[in-house]
Structures are given as C-alpha cells and as structure tokens.
C-alpha cells in the first residue's frame, strides 16, 4: 500500500469538535499509539539504561581505588574521564547520518554489541593507556544511542505526541543511577577492583511505521497520513549533501545546543562526581556510592512530575523551572561542608537535572520541521551539548580536591547561560509565529517535496513554545 500524499503541511489534522468521525479517528489514534508504545519504548528504554550504567561506572571506580591501583597521574585521571566524551561528541553526527543509511534494528544492535565488548574489557585493563583507549572506544560506540533514539522516536510520533514519549525514554537516566550506584556499592564492598558492567544485546524489531505489520488497515492509513502530513516518512527520505549543509548552517540548532551545553553541565558533573562530592563531605567510599543513588531517586520524581505538566505548560517555562531547581540546589550543596546538607541538596538537584535533557531535546526536535533535519540536528545538539564532559572533569581531579571551586563555578555559570538562552529562543519563536500569522504567505504552487525542504522555514510551520 502506497503512503498517502498530503495536500498541505503543518496544519492540525484532528479537530476539537465532537463529530462522530473525529471521535472515531481519535479512537484509532489511541489504539495505534498503544501498539507503538509497547513495542518501541521498553526496548529503547532498556538499551539506554544499560548504556548509562556502563558509561557511569567510572564514577564508582574513581572513589573505589582506580586512581591508586593504576597510579594515575593528574592528566591520566582527567583523560580517563574526558576521552569518552571527546570521541562521543565527534562520532554523534556521523552516527546519525549512518542511521539513515542502515536499518535501525541493525544499527542499534551493532553498536550495542560493540560498546558491550568495550565496556567489559575495562575490567581487565592493566595500564592507564589501555583503560583510556577502551574508554575512547566506549564513547565512540555509544555515540549513536542517544541522538539515534531521539531521531528514531520522531519516526513514529507527531509533534504533539513525542513529548511524553521522550520523557518516558529519558526516565532511563535516573533509573540507571538508581540501579547502577547500589550495584557498584555492592561490588566494591565485595572488594572487586572494578565495577564489572553487564550488557545485553537488544534489537529494535520494527524500523519504520510504513513497514510495520501490527497495525490494522485503518490504523495504518491514519498514522501514515498524519506523519506524512506533518514531517514525512523516514523510509522515503533521501537527503543530499547540500541539504545536510543547509541544515548545519541553521543558527537555531547551535543556540539549542548551547542551551543543552549550559543546563546539561550540572547533570554531567553530578553523573560523574556525585560519589566524589559525598566522600569529600565526610562519607566513606561505600556510603558515598550508595547515598549517591538518592539523587536519581529524586530524578525519577522529577520526571514523573514533568509528565503531568509537559502537555499543559510551555516547554520553555518548564526548562526554566527545572533548570533553576537543578542549579540552585546544586549551588547550595557544593558550597556546604556539612555532610547532611550536601547530601540533601545534591539529591534535590536531581529532581531538576533528570527533566532537563528530555525537555530540551523534545523542544528542539519538534521545532525542526522534518525528519532529516531532526535526525541531523539532534546529533549536533547532543554533540555540542556533550562538550562539558570533555573538559569540565579536568577541574574535578584530585589535584583540585576537596572544594573543586573552578569546576563548580563553570558548571553553575553554564547553567545560567542555558536558562538565559532558553528565554531568548522563546522570544524569537513567539515573534516568528506572530509574523507568520500576519503575513500568510502562499507557497501552494510548490510541490509537497519542495515544501518539505523548507523545514521549519515553511510559512505554515509554527514553533511550539
């Protein structure tokens, strides 16, 4: 069955009246969304949980003797952490372009198996050079996971549907911390030298909506019509080099990337050094690892709260609120030397931290105007947003202990930058929407394919605030 060709783009397909036809259509949407949710979200969520546990095991290793056992110098200690992020950020864009060339189930299965081998090999690394090299491989192979799944979810859901699903997917982040930290503490208490990660290979069974066989004919027709009307079908996108360059020249992508760069800095630091901060406040190594799991526990609460508001409150307002919660509580925690105070505010900051990434990436992805631009932009945004992981950890090595003043100042300053840029982008989006409402430019003389290439510059496209 051919994919239906839309007559217009970017205009709502579902009305809010109570006609029998509209109600039947809404029932079909609810039916096929349930099928997609159960087949897609658990698989990608588990994949991401294991990825985060594997990459985050370094935080437990640092407080459990890694420095002393390998006799790491100041630069080697920094490189053991930052090399992962250097390779991670450089490989994200090529990885997402490769995703367009390779079926998703093959791509995710391949990189999943390769990062599993790299991560388990860390347990037998005997020299700093070998450990750093394996961390680099881990970063390269994991680079395709986050931006790839962000793009993949946009294959299946419309702009109004993607928000809750993105939040549910990114709930894997606090869950991984809740599982990983106690597991690390248990293993270190048994006197293992390193945290031995585990990995299971997952394959996404369905690549594209128009190739799925689990829809009824009516469901299939409706989902393809709605997706094709709004963003096009991923299976039919054939990008050119020029299209890629045009996308890379869009300044808005880089502002969104800087927002993630800024507000994601605190999450990066906490993910790597929460046990270190607690240990420096007076807790033992094992206590610090176990207590660090309170932050992701609060993070789960934050994500659940976000689910309640994501379809009711503007994205930029939620970003500012959760970003402020993360920044203010982190600031109080790191400048307090009282163990209980530091533990409390570090944990509460997790409430905001865990909600930031899904909010930012959803806001960015729904404002791109097309599948391929979403695929490229998500990789670029996450890549630039990951840069803090490549240099901020250098200011949290033992040389700067116990106060890590420079590192904390950088993380807090970047977070403030992220909140400021969020407000600026919201003002721009609102101004652009008003201008387009007034101008009413008609480009119906262009073919649908030509209109799609305008992405978010299409005169009928409206940015979501």
């Amino acid at each position: 069955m051919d994919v239906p060709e839309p007559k217009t783009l970017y205009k709502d397909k579902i009305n809010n009246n109570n006609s029998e036809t509209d109600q039947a259509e809404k029932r079909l949407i609810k039916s096929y969304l349930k099928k997609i949710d159960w087949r897609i979200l658990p698989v990608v969520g588990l994949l991401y949980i294991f990825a985060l546990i594997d990459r985050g095991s370094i935080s437990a290793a640092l407080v459990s003797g890694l420095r002393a056992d390998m006799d790491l110098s100041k630069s080697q200690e920094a490189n053991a952490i930052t090399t992962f992020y250097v390779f991670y950020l450089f490989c994200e864009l090529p990885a997402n372009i490769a995703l367009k060339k390779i079926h998703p189930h093959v791509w995710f299965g391949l990189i999943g198996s390769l990062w599993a081998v790299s991560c388990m090999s860390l347990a037998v690394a005997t020299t700093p050079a070998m450990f750093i090299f394996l961390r680099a491989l881990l970063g390269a192979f994991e680079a395709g996971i986050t931006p790839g799944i962000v793009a993949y979810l946009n294959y299946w859901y419309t702009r109004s549907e993607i928000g809750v699903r993105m939040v549910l997917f990114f709930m894997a982040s606090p869950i991984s911390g809740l599982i990983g930290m106690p597991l690390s503490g248990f293993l270190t208490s048994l006197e293992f030298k390193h945290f031995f990660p585990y990995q299971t290979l997952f394959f996404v069974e369905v690549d594209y909506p128009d190739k799925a066989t689990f829809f009824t004919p009516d469901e299939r027709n409706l989902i393809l019509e709605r997706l094709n009307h709004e963003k096009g079908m991923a299976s039919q996108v054939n990008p050119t080099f020029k299209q890629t360059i045009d996308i890379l020249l869009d300044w808005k992508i880089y502002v969104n990337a800087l927002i993630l760069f800024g507000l994601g800095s605190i999450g990066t630091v906490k993910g790597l050094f929460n046990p270190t901060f607690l240990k420096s406040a007076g807790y033992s190594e094992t206590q610090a690892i176990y207590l660090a799991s309170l932050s992701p526990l609060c993070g789960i609460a934050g994500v659940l709260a976000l689910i309640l508001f994501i379809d009711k409150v503007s994205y930029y307002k939620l970003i500012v609120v959760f970003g402020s919660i993360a920044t203010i509580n982190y600031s109080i925690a790191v400048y307090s030397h009282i163990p209980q105070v530091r533990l409390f505010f570090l944990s509460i900051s997790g409430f905001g931290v865990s909600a930031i990434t899904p909010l930012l990436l959803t806001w960015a992805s729904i404002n791109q105007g097309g599948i391929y631009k979403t695929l490229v932009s998500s990789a670029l945004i996450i890549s630039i947003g990951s840069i803090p992981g490549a240099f901020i950890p250098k200011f949290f090595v033992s040389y700067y202990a116990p106060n890590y003043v420079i590192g904390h100042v950088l993380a807090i300053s970047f977070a403030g930058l992220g909140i400021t840029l969020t407000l600026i982008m919201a003002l721009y989006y609102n101004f652009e929407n008003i201008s387009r409402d007034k101008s009413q430019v008609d480009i119906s003389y262009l073919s649908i394919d030509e209109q799609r290439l305008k992405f978010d510059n299409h005169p009928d496209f409206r940015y979501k605030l």
Side-chain angles (χ1 to χ4, degrees):
M1 184 183 297
D2 295 332
V3 178
E5 186 74 6
K7 296 180 180 179
T8 59
L9 298 178
Y10 307 124
K11 293 182 180 178
D12 292 339
K13 297 291 291 178
I14 303 299
N15 298 322
N16 291 321
N17 58 44
N18 294 316
S19 71
E20 186 175 339
T21 301
D22 290 329
Q23 292 303 313
E25 196 167 276
K26 289 178 181 179
R27 286 194 293 271
L28 276 178
I29 292 172
K30 184 177 181 180
S31 175
Y32 77 62
L33 284 177
K34 184 182 295 185
K35 292 180 179 180
I36 297 171
D37 291 343
W38 280 107
R39 284 167 172 82
I40 302 298
L41 295 179
V43 177
V44 297
L46 286 172
L47 185 69
Y48 194 50
I49 285 173
F50 288 123
L52 291 172
I53 288 176
D54 286 350
R55 84 172 64 163
S57 61
I58 186 72
S59 63
L62 287 172
V63 298
S64 302
L66 177 64
R67 296 183 181 96
D69 289 351
M70 285 200 174
D71 192 24
L72 297 177
S73 67
K74 174 186 173 183
S75 62
Q76 288 172 334
E77 179 184 346
N79 289 337
I81 303 168
T82 60
T83 302
F84 170 93
Y85 287 95
V86 171
F87 280 79
Y88 185 85
L89 65 93
F90 276 113
C91 292
E92 282 181 307
L93 182 56
N96 254 27
I97 293 176
L99 174 61
K100 185 64 197 73
K101 306 292 184 181
I102 304 172
H103 287 298
H105 78 278
V106 175
W107 177 246
F108 291 134
L110 175 64
I111 60 177
S113 61
L114 291 174
W115 103 55
V117 172
S118 301
C119 195
M120 288 187 289
S121 298
L122 287 169
V124 296
T126 56
T127 66
M130 182 184 297
F131 190 88
I132 292 169
F133 173 72
L134 291 171
R135 285 281 296 174
L137 288 182
L138 184 63
F141 295 139
E142 281 197 20
I145 293 296
T146 306
I149 293 177
V150 169
Y152 179 70
L153 290 176
N154 277 277
Y155 290 3
W156 294 88
Y157 300 104
T158 65
R159 298 170 73 205
S160 61
E161 298 160 354
I162 191 67
V164 171
R165 277 79 186 181
M166 198 81 82
V167 172
L168 289 172
F169 164 63
F170 276 102
M171 189 180 286
S173 181
I175 289 176
S176 69
L178 194 61
I179 296 172
M181 284 303 171
L183 180 61
S184 300
F186 173 71
L187 292 175
T188 54
S189 70
L190 295 178
E191 298 184 358
F192 283 112
K193 286 188 177 181
H194 305 288
F195 168 61
F196 288 87
Y198 51 88
Q199 185 64 48
T200 303
L201 179 61
F202 291 94
F203 289 92
V204 180
E205 296 179 353
V206 186
D207 291 322
Y208 306 108
D210 50 325
K211 308 298 182 184
T213 59
F214 52 80
F215 296 128
T216 66
D218 288 342
E219 289 172 345
R220 184 181 189 278
N221 287 338
L222 184 56
I223 185 176
L224 297 188
E225 179 185 4
R226 296 181 75 227
L227 290 173
N228 206 34
H229 160 81
E230 186 173 276
K231 60 180 72 175
M233 303 307 303
S235 62
Q236 298 185 356
V237 174
N238 296 301
T240 64
F241 180 74
K242 182 181 183 304
Q243 290 171 21
T244 304
I245 295 299
D246 289 342
I247 292 171
L248 294 177
L249 293 176
D250 185 357
W251 65 270
K252 298 187 294 296
I253 294 176
Y254 298 94
V255 177
N256 279 294
L258 287 175
I259 294 173
L260 182 60
F261 174 102
L263 285 172
S265 296
I266 288 178
T268 298
V269 171
K270 279 172 55 63
L272 291 170
F273 300 107
N274 241 10
T276 300
F277 298 155
L278 293 175
K279 182 182 177 183
S280 66
Y283 293 102
S284 68
E285 293 175 357
T286 302
Q287 285 177 328
I289 295 172
Y290 276 115
L291 291 174
S293 64
L294 293 177
S295 185
L297 183 63
C298 289
I300 292 175
V303 172
L304 292 175
L306 177 58
I307 291 174
L308 297 177
F309 294 103
I310 195 165
D311 290 328
K312 302 182 180 72
V313 181
S314 299
Y315 280 94
Y316 83 92
K317 293 179 181 178
L318 291 172
I319 292 170
V320 170
V321 169
F322 281 94
S324 298
I325 291 172
T327 305
I328 292 171
N329 284 280
Y330 175 84
S331 302
I332 296 172
V334 296
Y335 289 109
S336 172
H337 299 288
I338 302 173
Q340 295 82 1
V341 173
R342 177 168 293 189
L343 173 62
F344 177 80
F345 285 102
L346 273 179
S347 300
I348 297 301
S349 70
F351 184 94
V353 164
S354 294
I356 289 171
T357 299
L359 273 171
L360 291 174
L361 293 181
T362 302
W363 197 38
S365 68
I366 63 177
N367 284 321
Q368 299 306 320
I371 284 290
Y372 187 60
K373 189 173 183 183
T374 299
L375 191 147
V376 173
S377 64
S378 63
L380 194 58
I381 289 169
I382 295 173
S383 180
I384 295 174
S386 301
I387 289 177
F391 74 91
I392 284 186
K394 292 181 181 294
F395 298 100
F396 289 96
V397 297
S398 56
Y399 176 82
Y400 295 100
N403 295 323
Y404 309 104
V405 174
I406 297 176
H408 291 318
V409 169
L410 286 174
I412 294 167
S413 299
F414 289 154
L417 172 67
I419 292 173
T420 302
L421 290 177
T422 298
L423 294 171
I424 292 173
M425 282 304 294
L427 289 173
Y428 169 79
Y429 286 155
N430 187 57
F431 173 80
E432 192 66 23
N433 287 344
I434 293 172
S435 297
R436 293 181 187 183
D437 287 339
K438 291 179 179 179
S439 62
Q440 296 294 316
V441 177
D442 180 17
I443 60 170
S444 60
Y445 60 91
L446 297 177
S447 69
I448 289 297
D449 288 339
E450 289 173 324
Q451 290 185 46
R452 287 200 195 286
L453 294 180
K454 291 187 174 294
F455 299 113
D456 57 308
N457 291 319
H458 192 291
D460 287 336
F461 184 89
R462 296 295 182 270
Y463 295 104
K464 288 185 177 290
L465 298 179

